[in-house]
Amino acid sequence: MATKVLAVIPARYASTRFPGKVLHPIAGKSMIARVYERVKQAQGLADILVATDDERVAGHVQALGGRVVMTDPAHPSGTDRCFEALQKSGAHYDYVLNIQGDEPFIVPGQIEALIALIDEAHRLEIATLIKQVERPDELTDTGEVKVVLNTRGEALYFSRYPVPFVRDMPLEEAWKHYTFYKHVGLYLYRSDILEVVCRLSPSMLERAESLEQLRWLEHGYRIHTAITTHDSVCVETPEDVQKVEQMLADGRLR
């Protein structure tokens, strides 16, 4: 039987820095419409659901022809919203893909790269994307989450600080001689693992770095990685909208 993958796009209306951002137009098309249309282009998905807590978002997505599930507005993370969407989907899925509703320029090939990691025996627990660091300023930017791997391509640790620490040379030089990776926030969960991680209490490392994936690592779950060459383009503020519209006008985004 073919593996069934459900793509869930968590799309909260509320946002501290940018309320209603998922409905905000970007060059004449709403952010959530851009996300949904790009996800539809990816190969290997059985279904796509937009998980929201707001009727305005639901109505907009339905007008696009998309499927919507209403979820609890009190969820602490998109992971929890994905699990509720899975529960309410009314069907069985082997894996759930968590796609951020504020990444309107996601590349369909990034989704396909994660799906390609699924093995026939379904041993894959969790997977995410990483990208090689190309500039030293990315290493010192605490908004860019860095990751170190084992020889099997599994994540050993995620940090907001540069890892690994290179003892014998300054960071500006080290990035030329060592391979550093940063995290690109797209997750694939085996369905039973998604249920388990949503029931885990926040961990010490998670609280320290404010990264929920550290909770999963602390409890012994494996996070496999796939390498992408595409940067994450996340829209979090009205100023970000202006930036990406300029990038579209300049041909730097498509």
Side-chain angles (χ1 to χ4, degrees):
M1 184 180 296
T3 299
K4 293 185 67 178
V5 180
L6 171 67
V8 179
I9 307 172
R12 285 191 318 129
Y13 184 86
S15 171
T16 303
R17 289 188 287 177
F18 192 178
K21 67 178 179 179
V22 293
L23 294 181
H24 197 282
I26 298 175
K29 185 181 294 185
S30 74
M31 189 182 310
I32 191 64
R34 288 183 176 275
V35 177
Y36 180 74
E37 289 175 2
R38 284 171 176 258
V39 174
K40 280 181 64 178
Q41 296 172 26
Q43 301 295 309
L45 295 173
D47 289 298
I48 305 169
L49 285 178
V50 174
T52 188
D53 55 3
D54 191 277
E55 291 291 349
R56 289 165 289 187
V57 178
H60 182 70
V61 172
Q62 288 166 341
L64 297 171
R67 293 179 59 202
V68 178
V69 61
M70 300 302 294
T71 52
D72 189 340
H75 282 311
S77 71
T79 305
D80 299 281
R81 202 172 300 280
C82 283
F83 180 54
E84 184 180 355
L86 173 65
Q87 289 178 303
K88 291 183 172 179
S89 66
H92 167 78
Y93 298 96
D94 301 293
Y95 285 87
V96 177
L97 188 69
N98 180 355
I99 302 160
Q100 301 301 318
D102 59 2
E103 297 215 9
F105 300 100
I106 185 171
V107 177
Q110 292 177 304
I111 294 170
E112 294 164 358
L114 287 184
I115 293 174
L117 292 177
I118 297 173
D119 56 278
E120 290 185 8
H122 289 178
R123 291 183 297 268
L124 183 73
E125 297 179 344
I126 304 170
T128 194
L129 290 176
I130 59 173
K131 182 179 184 295
Q132 186 170 340
V133 170
E134 298 177 349
R135 305 187 315 271
D137 61 289
E138 293 179 310
L139 291 175
T140 56
D141 182 354
T142 57
E144 294 282 6
V145 177
K146 276 65 70 175
V147 57
V148 287
L149 311 174
N150 65 18
T151 56
R152 296 185 298 275
E154 299 167 350
L156 288 169
Y157 191 71
F158 295 83
S159 181
R160 297 187 182 278
Y161 284 89
V163 286
F165 171 72
V166 180
R167 187 184 64 175
D168 299 323
M169 64 179 67
L171 195 59
E172 294 76 11
E173 187 67 21
W175 79 277
K176 301 175 186 178
H177 301 277
Y178 292 84
T179 302
F180 294 85
Y181 291 104
K182 64 180 181 178
H183 184 219
V184 178
L186 190 68
Y187 287 111
L188 179 71
Y189 315 89
R190 202 173 72 203
S191 294
D192 61 320
I193 298 296
L194 175 59
E195 178 175 5
V196 172
V197 298
C198 284
R199 302 191 190 284
L200 296 174
S201 299
S203 67
M204 181 191 70
L205 293 177
E206 175 188 8
R207 290 193 297 268
E209 298 249 19
S210 191
L211 297 172
E212 67 173 332
Q213 61 268 44
L214 293 177
R215 181 195 322 176
W216 314 335
L217 288 179
E218 277 193 86
H219 284 86
Y221 293 98
R222 293 173 298 157
I223 303 177
H224 285 74
T225 63
I227 297 174
T228 179
T229 58
H230 300 283
D231 256 320
S232 174
V233 183
C234 187
V235 178
E236 296 182 338
T237 67
E239 292 73 25
D240 288 340
V241 173
Q242 296 174 10
K243 291 177 184 176
V244 297
E245 286 183 331
Q246 187 60 54
M247 292 170 73
L248 281 168
D250 294 344
R252 288 177 288 159
L253 282 176
R254 291 191 299 172

